[in-house]
Amino acid sequence: QVQLVQPGGRLVQAGNSLRLSCAASGRDLPSYVLAWFRQAPGKEREFVAGFRWRGSTTYYSDSGKGRFSISGDYAKNTVDLQLSSLKPEDTAVYYCAAGWNLWQPELRQADQYAYWGQGTQVTVSS
C-alpha cells in the first residue's frame, strides 16, 4: 500500500514556472516508479514524467521534454515536478501516481498504476 499526497491548486501566469511536490509513504518504495500524469477537460489522462527510485532514472513525454523536470528526494520520500515556460494549454489536473516495478512502455500507461494522489488543479492564465 502506498499513499500519495499532493499540494492544493495553483494559478500561474503563462511563461512562469511552478514546482509540484508529491509526498509518498508506504512499504518498498524503491521498487516503485512514481509518475506525474495530467488530464485536461474533455481529454484522456496523459503521462508527463516518471521517476524510478532505483538508479534515479527519469522518463519524459514528448510534450514535457525540455520544459518539465522530475526529481526524487530519498530523505523526504518526495518526487517533484518542475514545470517551466508554462503555457495556457498546460492547464490541467496533475496527478501523482505510483506503480510497482514498471518498465517501458508500460510506465507511460495510466492503467498500470495502482496508487494515485488526489490531484492538483494547475491553471495557466494568458
Side-chain angles (χ1 to χ4, degrees):
Q1 189 81 4
V2 175
Q3 293 79 39
L4 303 170
V5 178
Q6 301 179 221
R10 302 294 169 86
L11 174 64
V12 63
Q13 287 191 327
N16 285 354
S17 299
L18 180 67
R19 191 174 189 89
L20 301 178
S21 186
C22 174
S25 61
R27 297 181 61 183
D28 198 21
L29 286 179
S31 295
Y32 283 82
V33 170
L34 263 70
W36 286 92
F37 287 77
R38 68 182 183 182
Q39 188 166 20
K43 294 189 176 181
E44 291 188 356
R45 193 167 297 190
E46 65 169 343
F47 175 82
V48 175
F51 179 82
R52 184 186 307 283
W53 291 104
R54 289 200 170 103
S56 298
T57 307
T58 58
Y59 307 88
Y60 294 97
S61 65
D62 288 340
S63 62
K65 199 174 297 183
R67 293 195 300 126
F68 300 163
S69 176
I70 192 169
S71 61
D73 186 321
Y74 295 100
K76 299 178 181 179
N77 279 348
T78 57
V79 175
D80 290 359
L81 181 67
Q82 178 75 30
L83 310 170
S84 303
S85 302
L86 283 163
K87 307 173 183 179
E89 50 264 43
D90 293 318
T91 294
V93 179
Y94 285 72
Y95 294 93
C96 177
W100 188 81
N101 199 31
L102 296 178
W103 298 90
Q104 299 216 67
E106 287 78 15
L107 62 84
R108 299 175 183 272
Q109 301 167 6
D111 60 4
Q112 297 296 314
Y113 288 78
Y115 304 102
W116 292 85
Q118 75 272 30
T120 298
Q121 174 67 51
V122 173
T123 302
V124 183
S125 63
S126 57

